[in-house]
Every structure is written in structure tokens, then in C-alpha cells.
Amino acid sequence: MLDTSPISHDVTSVRAAVRSPRRLTTEVLAGLVTSLALIPEVISFAVIAGVDPKVALYTSCIMAMTIAFVGGRPAMVSAAAGATALVVAPLVASHGIDYLIAAVWLAGALQIAFAAGGLARLVRFIPRSVMIGFVNALAILIFSAQVRHLIDVPWLVYPLVVGGILMVVAIPRLTTVVPAPLIAIVVLTSVVTLFHLDVPDVADQGELPSGLPTWMIPDVPMTWETLTIIAPFALGLALVGLLESLLTAKLVDDITDTPSDKTREAWGQGVANMAGALFGGMGGCAMIGQTMINVKEGRARTRISTFLAGLFLLVSCVTIGDVVGAIPMAALVAVMVVIAATTFDWHSIAPRTLRLMPRSETLVMLVTVVGTLATENLAVGVIAGVLTAMVAFARRVAHMADVTVSGDDERVYRVTGQLFWASSNDLVHRFDYVGDPDSVVIDLTAAEVWDASTVATLDTVQHKYAERGKAVRIVGLDGASLDRLQRLSGRLG
């Protein structure tokens, strides 16, 4: 059916799920509750991007159903997302929907190209502290997105939200047959309908579509000027979408204890974006909050739930829009608040953890969180966190290089540690060019030469001794370090 993933784990197998009525029921119900949670979020992202809510909803339907076939992470949900909406909003405002569709097309093609180039494999270089910051920032963003639904609303909203939270938390202790969020949504919707309570509902968020999506070819001139207009937005959309999707895939890997194919997920996102653009889509990526609902609350593990989330979203909007529109926002807010609370890594901010954790790693986590919250963009926060981690690592390793001096008639400098641009810059000042004898040995047996900067520094040291008529021998290197020195020495200017 949909199981074309190379993942061999039975828990993610569509065939195994179909053969088990209990597991199939879990996947179906998880897809249903995820589709309901998608609607208000997607509509709000449409407002951010400046497009009709129908555009975002159609995008989400097509992307979710497409990624179920071509993606590399089973049970992850892709749809119109806030991060990508922020990227394309200026293009929509300045050039309209046709240029947006062209940009999404190009972004999808770029994501496929990036996947072919191995970009997805770089996700393994993201440190754990950045991942913790990513998770914590995600939880804060999910919670803060619900705050607007709790301001200037009838007082009845608050007891409904509290009741919904209690149900989502308590029901799993009694039964796990039906997802607790689905029960909470059904109960609260029934209460609001039965007692005719005047509270905000899904219909208040925007108009739901009443028909199926149709093909849409962008009406833009095929010129160099058009390319220069859409290319920056397409590149931003491609990179932000890939980064958020790959990090979400890594998070789901950890939650489910199953691996995923990151390269396949990367080109799958490109295919899904191009498919969405065929129907006038606004572009998107992995939806982190809804993925957490699908995986954590719904306990879904296969592609079935992802496909059905898109299918249910399309069917419910087109055929039972009035019923979906009657769902009180309080029910969905309650679900998302619980998701935010369970997603946040509370252990990471415990006093004992902060005392034990190196300050540099705590700083990296904080930079990731602050960068994300300041820009409301998880990709920006993650990039800031990775850069901070790189600087912290370079600073820490730079202090591991040391020099000891021995000998009288022949001065021997024994250099130990990892020599690269950060640690070798001060190396040139560790030698006594005037006071040393005519014969000098630089022993690098306990050192590694990692880059051209170190070779240039060693060349400088030799040059300074040569100016004073003194001979220098470099000994102790082998393997890649020796090869790097022989290949670059004297050729760097």
C-alpha cells in the first residue's frame, strides 16, 4: 500500500498495521485527531502568509497525503507551516499568488537537489544541546500560539479549556483505546452544541473550502527577471523547510525509537511541495505540533496516520465543514497546551542539571531558544545555536594545544594537541627566535595538523628562524597530518 520505506522495523510497517485491527484503529484515530488540530493552525498561517485560508488548507491536504508515500519518516505530518509562511509573506504582498506558486515550485526542486547533494546528512552534526533548545523553543511557541485564543474571549472558554486539559491528561490512565484528544474534542463540542454556548469555534478562524482543489499553473513570465524575484524566497523556503523537517524527523526518531531516512525525507519534502504547488499551494514543511499529536497523543507509528490526516482534512472541510466549524477552539487549545507541556524538556532546566551541565552547552541551548523566540522561526534559532556550539567547541579545543621546551645545544619544542586555526594562531609566539641555538627541532609526534592555517603558521615559524640563520626541522608527523604539511607547506604565500 504505502509502505515503500527502507525502514525494517515492524512498528513502522504499514503491512503489519493493516493486519492488526487494533493498530489500524490507532492509526486511523490518530490521523483523525491530527486533521482536526491542523485546521486552525493552518488557517492562522494563511493569514501570516497573506493568502486565502483555502490555499493553506489545500496545501496541507496535498502535502500530507504526498509525504505519506515519498517521505522518509513514517508518522510525521507535513503541511503549510508557520516558518515557511513567514518566508513567503513578503513575496505574496509584493507580487501576488502566482509568483508564490512559482517560488514553491522552485523551492521543491531545490530541496530535491539538496537531497541529491547529501545536505540531509549534515543533520548529524547538530549537537544535543541545540536539539534540546529546539524542543524547548518548539514547546514555548506551541503554547504561545494558543494565548491569542485565551484573550478577549467569553469567560466560558476558560472552564472549557481546563476541562479539556483534565480529560487529555486523565483519560490515558483509564483507557488508550481512543486517543484522549479526540475524546476531549467530541465531549467539548457536544457540550457547546447542547447548551448553545457562545464561544469561538473553528468556523470563526476563516472560511473552509467547499470543493475539491483544482490544478493551477502560475501566470508568470518565464524570464530572468522572474527568476531573480522568486529565487531568494525559494531558497529561503527550501532551507527553512528542510531544516525544520529534518530536525522534527530526528525528534520523532528519538520518541519512537525507530530510525528514518533523512535523505529520502529531504527529497520527499521537495516532491510534496511541488505537488502542493500544482494545486496553488503556499509551500510547507513538517508540522511539529501536529506531528507530536500524531505520535505522542495518538501513538501513531506508520504512514497510514499521515495519509489519513490529509485525507480526513480534505473530506471534513469539503463534506462536513459545518460540523468541523462547530468545534470550539477551547478543545483544540486544551490539546495543544498539553502537547506543549509534554514536549518541553523540563529536566534540562532543573537546578541539578544546570549545575552539572557545562556552561557552554547551557549557553548553546539558551541561544537556540532565544533566537527562535525572537524571530518566531525555529530554523533561525537552530542556526544560531549551531554557530554558538561551533565557537564554544573551537574555543575549548584551542586551549588543548601546549608547548614544552628542552635541550641546550639543540632546542626541542614538543607540541601536543589539536592544531587548527583557533589553536595555532598563538603558536608563532611560543618560540624564542633570538635566544635559541642554531639548531631547532619542532616535535609534533603528539599533535595533529588539521588545516592550512596551521601549515601557514609553521611556515612562518620556519621563516623567522631562517631570517636569523637558524635551521629548523619538523618531526613526528605521519598520516594525514604529514600529507597536509607536505602538500601545502611553502605554497600558501
Side-chain angles (χ1 to χ4, degrees):
M1 185 180 167
L2 304 175
D3 192 14
T4 57
S5 169
I7 298 174
S8 59
H9 291 250
D10 186 65
V11 70
T12 62
S13 168
V14 169
R15 186 176 293 108
V18 170
R19 291 173 177 173
S20 169
R22 184 173 181 179
R23 286 185 57 189
L24 182 60
T25 300
T26 298
E27 296 292 323
V28 172
L29 293 177
L32 177 59
V33 72
T34 302
S35 69
L36 296 177
L38 273 169
I39 295 173
E41 295 288 310
V42 167
I43 292 175
S44 67
F45 298 148
V47 174
I48 293 174
V51 300
D52 190 307
K54 296 177 184 178
V55 172
L57 289 167
Y58 286 148
T59 299
S60 302
C61 298
I62 300 301
M63 284 199 70
M65 289 188 287
T66 302
I67 205 69
F69 286 94
V70 299
R73 174 63 259 178
M76 191 168 77
V77 181
S78 293
T84 54
L86 288 169
V87 172
V88 300
L91 178 62
V92 177
S94 60
H95 290 83
I97 188 70
D98 287 295
Y99 279 82
L100 168 62
I101 297 171
V104 175
W105 263 91
L106 180 57
L110 288 174
Q111 288 177 328
I112 294 173
F114 290 152
L119 185 65
R121 290 191 291 271
L122 296 180
V123 73
R124 70 181 185 272
F125 293 108
I126 296 177
R128 177 179 178 274
S129 52
V130 173
M131 280 300 301
I132 293 175
F134 168 77
V135 170
N136 290 346
L138 156 66
I140 295 172
L141 284 179
I142 292 175
F143 178 80
S144 61
Q146 312 313 311
V147 173
R148 66 188 181 89
H149 299 298
L150 300 173
I151 298 176
D152 294 329
V153 293
W155 69 270
L156 286 170
V157 169
Y158 304 110
L160 288 173
V161 170
V162 172
I165 291 174
L166 292 175
M167 280 188 280
V168 174
V169 172
I171 288 174
R173 301 177 183 180
L174 303 175
T175 179
T176 57
V177 175
V178 180
L182 182 58
I183 296 175
I185 291 171
V186 171
V187 170
L188 293 184
T189 303
S190 301
V191 169
V192 169
T193 303
L194 182 62
F195 293 99
H196 304 287
L197 302 182
D198 185 16
V199 294
D201 54 28
V202 171
D204 296 328
Q205 307 304 305
E207 183 182 359
L208 299 179
S210 58
L212 296 174
T214 57
W215 295 90
M216 183 173 178
I217 304 299
D219 183 18
V220 297
M222 302 294 288
T223 62
W224 177 257
E225 181 181 1
T226 298
L227 182 61
T228 59
I229 292 171
I230 67 173
F233 296 98
L235 180 61
L237 183 65
L239 291 176
V240 168
L242 271 187
L243 182 58
E244 196 152 333
S245 298
L246 293 175
L247 286 176
T248 304
K250 192 172 187 298
L251 180 60
V252 177
D253 291 352
D254 294 338
I255 292 172
T256 62
D257 291 325
T258 58
S260 62
D261 187 335
K262 303 301 188 300
T263 298
R264 175 172 173 174
E265 184 60 42
W267 70 257
Q269 289 291 327
V271 172
N273 269 310
M274 295 182 77
L278 281 173
F279 297 93
M282 58 178 276
C285 61
M287 290 283 285
I288 306 172
Q290 280 64 29
T291 296
M292 292 299 100
I293 290 176
N294 194 42
V295 172
K296 296 185 75 172
E297 296 297 327
R299 308 184 311 282
R301 294 293 182 268
T302 76
R303 301 172 184 274
I304 296 174
S305 60
T306 304
F307 178 81
L308 291 180
L311 182 61
F312 285 148
L313 178 61
L314 180 61
V315 172
S316 60
C317 288
V318 173
T319 62
I320 54 171
D322 292 339
V323 176
V324 173
I327 297 174
M329 286 303 301
L332 299 176
V333 169
V335 172
M336 298 308 292
V337 167
V338 174
I339 288 294
T342 56
T343 299
F344 194 91
D345 188 345
W346 298 100
H347 177 73
S348 67
I349 60 172
R352 184 173 183 273
T353 303
L354 293 176
R355 285 196 302 270
L356 295 175
M357 191 68 63
R359 291 182 180 179
S360 60
E361 296 200 22
T362 301
L363 176 63
V364 169
M365 181 190 73
L366 291 175
V367 167
T368 305
V369 173
V370 172
T372 298
L373 298 182
T375 61
E376 295 187 351
N377 190 325
L378 286 163
V380 173
V382 168
I383 291 172
V386 170
L387 291 176
T388 304
M390 290 171 60
V391 173
F393 175 78
R395 183 175 180 274
R396 186 164 59 250
V397 175
H399 294 299
M400 292 182 179
D402 193 25
V403 179
T404 58
V405 186
S406 63
D408 294 321
D409 295 335
E410 184 178 62
R411 189 61 49 83
V412 178
Y413 289 87
R414 289 183 174 84
V415 182
T416 61
Q418 306 303 311
L419 302 180
F420 65 112
W421 55 269
S423 60
S424 63
N425 280 340
D426 293 333
L427 189 63
V428 70
H429 305 298
R430 305 292 295 273
F431 298 87
D432 185 2
Y433 303 103
V434 177
D436 282 345
D438 291 340
S439 179
V440 177
V441 175
I442 302 176
D443 185 356
L444 300 178
T445 303
E448 292 287 342
V449 174
W450 287 104
D451 61 2
S453 294
T454 301
V455 175
T457 297
L458 293 173
D459 283 351
T460 300
V461 171
Q462 290 178 299
H463 179 69
K464 287 180 177 293
Y465 277 117
E467 286 181 329
R468 294 164 176 80
K470 301 177 181 181
V472 179
R473 291 184 296 117
I474 296 177
V475 300
L477 286 180
D478 57 12
S481 294
L482 178 61
D483 176 70
R484 193 170 288 115
L485 180 68
Q486 292 175 339
R487 180 161 42 87
L488 297 176
S489 182
R491 297 179 175 84
L492 298 176

